[in-house]
Amino acid sequence: MIDWSAFLLVAVASLVVTAIVVSAYSFGLRLLAASGRAPLVEPASFTDAITVITPEQSKAAAKRQRKAAKKNPLSDGQKRLALWGAYVCFAIAGIAVLYGIYLIIPYFHH
């Protein structure tokens, strides 16, 4: 017999934790951008891979990023606080993922 209440509990917990992990990571990226350290990923060249942006587009994006960092209205203390907040958000997301892996792998429960 299926225990539907336990099934529902697992389904709801999965949705809630997924929302927490995604939100923490999203807020971390937002705070990272607010601190003036927006992540800029250079295009990689792989055989038979799709290049998302050209090197010229990458240089233009880097220029826009530097220009936006100069216009940032936050003080240095606020930028530092936003950077630490980003690190905390990334840590929360990472810890939640590691705890999920811990729960999934039975070897750790002995």
Side-chain angles (χ1 to χ4, degrees), residues 43-110:
S45 298
F46 296 106
T47 307
D48 297 331
I50 298 172
T51 302
V52 178
I53 60 175
T54 64
E56 292 81 20
Q57 291 171 327
S58 175
K59 288 178 187 175
K63 184 177 178 182
R64 284 192 307 271
Q65 180 185 12
R66 287 190 302 273
K67 189 175 179 181
K70 289 180 184 176
K71 291 183 179 181
N72 194 337
L74 300 178
S75 68
D76 287 339
Q78 290 171 327
K79 288 179 187 177
R80 208 171 13 261
L81 186 62
L83 184 62
W84 278 103
Y87 291 157
V88 168
C89 287
F90 291 142
I92 289 170
I95 289 169
V97 168
L98 290 175
Y99 184 66
I101 292 171
Y102 166 78
L103 290 176
I104 290 171
I105 300 174
Y107 176 77
F108 297 135
H109 301 178
H110 289 97

